[in-house]
Amino acid sequence: MSDAMHRPGALNKLRGKVIDYATERMNLDPAPLDSPRTLEELTKEAGQTITEQGLGGERALELFAEVLAPATISIDHPNYLSFIPAAPTEASSLFDLVVSASSIYGGSWKEGAGAVYAENQVLEFLAKECGLPAGSGGVFVQGGTLGNLSALVAARESAKQSRGAKRWAVIASVESHSSLKAAAKVMDIEIVTGPCVDGRFTEAGAREAISSALASGLTPFAVVGTAGTTNFGIVDDLAGVGKVAKEFGLWFHVDGAYGLAGILSPNHRHLYRGVELADSFIVDPHKWLFAPFDACALVYRNPAIARAAHTQHGDYLDTLTETGDFNPSDHAFNLTRRVRGLPLWFSMATHGVELYRKAVASNIDLAHEIANEIAARDYLQLVRKPELSVVVFERKGWSKVDYQKWSDDLLDSGFAFVVPSSHEGKPNTRFAIVNPTTKYSDLVQILDSMR
Ligand SMILES: *Cc1c(COP(=O)(O)O)cnc(C)c1O
């Protein structure tokens, strides 16, 4: 029968098994770190999985549980310290299941009003936390890359209203994220970078970059400050950079994909002075707001500007866009969208903001404690004093090859995932701490393994 895949209840037994699997995964304490396998190994063990007749749900689930899932690294493992990890709360993971089961279209108010209302409360909370005025708003998009692109498209669209340009440019720092370059490529514009002082973009750096852009015949339209650089977790001098942006009549965008969550910690709020000047900002719940992949909160001071830039028009859409309703999709480069802000909403509604403040603060405190331990060990050297929850350090005398071998051994042993990195051509490694279950004693054990 052609409706065999859709009849409610037809898969009751399988439903139980899938939900049991999800429950078991959430009960693992911790989930095994696991490790990647080669294509040859997976081909041998999993074989051809897409067939005309299907494998049957139980076999497919078994394949996933026994072969495929162990070949994926558990990003929420407490000793996954590479890149920027993720550590979803149980409440947020649970609600991701609900979102999946609920078939909600999150692009328009008409179709998703209840869910959009909840998402918008989270965006309003974030806007308020950053000192943006009432009326600010935006949308949860897939990730920071798309958030940055969408904000910059809105910024340029807005600049076009008042001036023309032979060649548009965005001003950013040498420590800003690679996604800005990716956005510039898509937009066919230039990125002009200014220098940092101790990893921080300052008023002087922003001025220097603007002058150099103007001297090259470019027309800057936006300045980007980073609230928590990816490599070092340093917050730019947002007050200084924002001031320069305003002085030149440029859009001020704050890229806080990783680090803007740190503003929730009362003891670290002061680091973000100047974020209230932002015309737009992003922060990724899947990085440091303890939500599952994937979500980026994109907020505009004046959402109407974003709508003018992003609203799609078509005969089939006018019934949605001509209502005057708040349609999330009109604020970014997207149309159909999952209500990917709901897992964060549910978790925040469940636990309250105070627990988030404590969890974020505990990550920063742990990073500073382990940095002190690193500084005290004669075979290690801090590359820079940490500010938020990223600690970058060197093992004296090690080459890139030594770091890689040590890193591979750590992963093979199932204890930790810490990859080599580098700064100014010198190899190093880093701990990015966003998981409240990461233990000081485990970090010490990792340092011991480098002796
Ligand atoms: C991670 C990151 C991004 C990109 O975010 P994705 O969600 O990975 O697309 C942008 N900016 C900064 C500062 C980041 O750390």
Side-chain angles (χ1 to χ4, degrees):
M1 288 218 296
S2 65
D3 70 345
M5 298 192 292
H6 291 82
R7 235 177 307 122
L11 291 183
N12 265 340
K13 207 165 133 224
L14 182 63
R15 185 190 297 173
K17 291 197 171 197
V18 168
I19 291 174
D20 285 351
Y21 175 85
T23 301
E24 279 165 32
R25 172 61 177 80
M26 283 189 265
N27 279 337
L28 293 172
D29 183 21
L33 193 48
D34 295 326
S35 57
R37 312 282 303 277
T38 64
L39 175 60
E40 287 70 27
E41 287 169 331
L42 289 175
T43 306
K44 188 158 157 269
E45 290 189 33
Q48 183 60 38
T49 58
I50 302 303
T51 62
E52 279 298 324
Q53 301 308 316
L55 305 178
E58 292 188 19
R59 174 67 192 132
L61 180 61
E62 187 182 273
L63 254 183
F64 181 74
E66 288 171 13
V67 180
L68 304 176
T72 66
I73 296 183
S74 303
I75 314 292
D76 56 347
H77 189 283
N79 294 343
Y80 181 119
L81 301 159
S82 298
F83 314 111
I84 305 287
T89 63
E90 181 167 342
S92 66
S93 295
L94 284 172
F95 218 68
D96 213 33
L97 297 175
V98 172
V99 170
S100 292
S102 301
S103 217
I104 297 165
Y105 181 86
S108 72
W109 183 267
K110 188 169 199 163
E111 291 155 287
V116 172
Y117 171 85
E119 282 190 309
N120 285 353
Q121 290 226 315
V122 179
L123 295 174
E124 268 169 39
F125 162 75
L126 293 170
K128 200 164 164 211
E129 201 66 17
C130 293
L132 265 64
S136 304
V139 54
F140 286 94
V141 294
Q142 176 270 329
T145 300
L146 198 54
N148 282 336
L149 172 67
S150 299
L152 292 177
V153 166
R156 182 177 58 179
E157 212 47 37
S158 162
K160 275 185 183 169
Q161 305 304 317
S162 58
R163 63 205 122 124
K166 273 221 288 289
R167 193 105 184 113
W168 295 106
V170 168
I171 305 299
S173 90
V174 290
E175 297 277 348
S176 62
H177 190 261
S178 54
S179 57
L180 296 179
K181 271 186 232 143
K185 208 158 145 192
V186 173
M187 294 171 73
D188 193 24
I189 59 171
E190 302 294 324
I191 293 270
V192 178
T193 57
C196 286
V197 181
D198 290 333
R200 193 184 322 278
F201 200 30
T202 62
E203 181 178 334
R207 276 188 203 287
E208 188 178 322
I210 292 173
S211 301
S212 113
L214 293 173
S216 315
L218 301 169
T219 307
F221 67 91
V223 181
V224 180
T226 306
T229 55
T230 315
N231 210 14
F232 283 99
I234 305 279
V235 184
D236 287 345
D237 171 12
L238 300 175
V241 174
K243 188 181 99 177
V244 175
K246 301 288 124 176
E247 192 182 309
F248 284 85
L250 308 178
W251 183 284
F252 181 40
H253 175 65
V254 173
D255 176 2
Y258 149 64
L260 190 48
I263 201 170
L264 295 184
S265 165
N267 289 337
H268 302 91
R269 240 199 123 74
H270 64 277
L271 297 172
Y272 300 85
R273 209 171 53 82
V275 67
E276 70 280 357
L277 300 172
D279 293 294
S280 56
F281 71 78
I282 63 160
V283 54
D284 280 3
H286 67 221
K287 280 183 171 167
W288 202 12
L289 284 172
F290 316 117
F293 298 126
D294 43 23
C296 163
L298 163 62
V299 174
Y300 300 92
R301 173 179 297 271
N302 181 355
I305 297 179
R307 286 195 287 277
H310 288 292
T311 304
Q312 296 186 24
H313 297 282
D315 297 342
Y316 36 84
L317 290 175
D318 291 344
T319 182
L320 295 176
T321 52
E322 286 173 356
T323 56
D325 289 334
F326 186 95
N327 296 321
S329 285
D330 295 347
H331 300 83
F333 188 73
N334 61 181
L335 185 59
T336 298
R337 64 177 290 275
R338 177 181 179 84
V339 280
R340 52 169 53 81
L342 277 199
L344 176 60
W345 165 77
F346 182 70
S347 184
M348 279 197 155
T350 298
H351 294 298
V353 174
E354 189 180 326
L355 277 184
Y356 278 79
R357 298 192 192 286
K358 287 185 174 153
V360 166
S362 79
N363 291 147
I364 301 176
D365 291 345
L366 180 58
H368 286 247
E369 275 170 56
I370 200 66
N372 289 339
E373 180 61 28
I374 290 166
R377 294 190 175 209
D378 58 5
Y379 60 99
L380 300 176
Q381 168 122 40
L382 275 181
V383 175
R384 190 170 274 154
K385 247 176 73 112
E387 188 161 84
L388 300 177
S389 67
V390 179
V391 188
V392 186
F393 60 102
E394 288 172 9
R395 163 65 166 86
K396 292 179 190 165
W398 271 14
S399 68
K400 206 171 155 185
V401 177
D402 297 318
Y403 282 100
Q404 193 61 57
K405 160 117 190 30
W406 161 79
S407 172
D408 291 345
D409 288 348
L410 268 184
L411 182 60
D412 287 346
S413 73
F415 184 63
F417 184 55
V418 190
V419 292
S421 184
S422 69
H423 180 60
E424 292 173 349
K426 269 183 93 181
N428 61 39
T429 191
R430 56 194 268 293
F431 292 159
I433 302 171
V434 299
N435 190 329
T437 68
T438 301
K439 289 201 217 55
Y440 180 73
S441 56
D442 280 3
L443 298 181
V444 167
Q445 202 173 319
I446 296 171
L447 299 184
D448 290 344
S449 73
M450 302 178 89
R451 235 184 241 289

